Amino acid sequence: MPRVLLSSPDQKALLHLEPGPDEQWWTLHHAAEPDHPAWYASFGARTPVELIAAVTDALTDPAPAADAPTDPYEPLQQSGWMPDSADNALVSPDRIAYVQRLGSAEEPGAWFVTSTLGLDRPVWQARFGAHTPAHLVAAFTRALADPKPLHRTDSGRSLPTLDPNVVTRRATNVLAVYVAGALEQRVHSLADRHTTAPTVPIPSRQAPPRHSRSR
C-alpha cells in the first residue's frame, strides 16, 4: 500500500497519501498565512484522479486563467445540475453525485462532494474546509462536470466501476508508446507553466587601471 508525503517548496502545503479502509486517502493541508486561515482538502480512495489533479494543478498554477471560475456552483449549474432537497446543495442530472456547502451565508462552512449508488452505497467523497480558496473548489467542480470521457484500462473481464450500468463504454486501441509517455508529457506540460525569469548578467569587475609613466 503506497504512502506518500509531499511538501511545497515554501513548506506551507503538505499532500499526504495514507491508504485506509474507511478513511479519506488523499489529504492536502495548507498552513495559515497572514491574509488567509489554514485550510484542508481530502479525497476518498475512489475519487477519480482527474478531479484530484484539477485541484493540485490549480494550486500550483503560477498564472491562473482569467476565465477560470471562482464560484464552485457555476460549472455545475452550466451543466444542468439542479438544486437538491438539502439546503445549499446541487445534484447531478443522473442523481449520482451531489455538492453541498454547509453553514450559512453569514458563516459558510465546509464543502462536501459525494458520489453514491443508491442511498446506502457511497462510492467516494471529497471534502474542502470552510477556508479552502474558492477557485480550488471550483477547479474540482469544473472537472466533475466535464463531459469528456475518462481514459481507463480494461482487462475485458471487468469494468473499473461499482455499477457497469451507469457507464457508457467505448473501447479504443492506444499504442503502448503513447501510454508510456503520458505521465512524462503531463510533467513537462505542468513544468512549462513556471516561466523562469531571465538571468540578469552580472557585470564583470574591471581591473583597476595601472599607473604608467609617460616619456
Side-chain angles (χ1 to χ4, degrees):
M1 299 297 287
R3 287 175 173 79
V4 179
L5 191 63
L6 300 176
S7 61
S8 60
D10 59 9
Q11 301 296 304
K12 293 182 179 179
L14 189 67
L15 180 63
H16 189 199
L17 169 61
E18 180 69 28
D22 302 313
E23 303 294 335
Q24 298 288 89
W25 280 32
W26 292 92
T27 305
L28 175 63
H29 289 282
H30 198 288
E33 298 180 289
D35 59 342
H36 199 95
W39 56 270
Y40 76 91
S42 66
F43 310 96
R46 295 188 182 92
T47 306
V49 294
E50 292 83 356
L51 307 186
I52 303 175
V55 176
T56 56
D57 288 355
L59 175 65
T60 58
D61 194 346
D67 61 346
T70 56
D71 178 5
Y73 284 136
E74 179 183 344
L76 305 177
Q77 292 168 334
Q78 292 178 350
S79 298
W81 288 48
M82 300 296 293
D84 189 45
S85 57
D87 293 336
N88 205 20
L90 293 179
V91 63
S92 61
D94 56 13
R95 306 197 68 82
I96 291 176
Y98 68 92
V99 176
Q100 180 182 17
R101 187 169 199 186
L102 303 180
S104 61
E106 294 75 18
E107 294 187 8
W111 293 87
F112 287 85
V113 184
T114 307
S115 174
T116 63
L117 292 175
L119 298 177
D120 57 346
R121 296 185 64 190
V123 180
W124 55 263
Q125 186 175 76
R127 306 167 188 170
F128 299 90
H131 301 294
T132 304
H135 77 281
L136 299 184
V137 186
F140 186 92
T141 57
R142 186 179 191 177
L144 178 63
D146 192 340
K148 291 196 300 288
L150 302 181
H151 296 279
R152 295 291 185 269
T153 58
D154 180 19
S155 64
R157 293 175 298 177
S158 62
L159 286 173
T161 177
L162 296 182
D163 187 351
N165 295 323
V166 301
V167 175
T168 300
R169 181 186 175 195
R170 185 179 65 187
T172 303
N173 292 325
V174 180
L175 293 177
V177 64
Y178 294 151
V179 177
L183 177 59
E184 183 178 359
Q185 181 181 359
R186 170 170 165 75
V187 171
H188 285 309
S189 65
L190 292 176
D192 288 343
R193 301 182 313 176
H194 297 265
T195 56
T196 304
T199 303
V200 178
I202 301 175
S204 59
R205 298 182 61 181
Q206 299 293 334
R210 294 182 178 179
H211 297 287
S212 59
R213 294 180 181 179
S214 60
R215 294 183 179 178

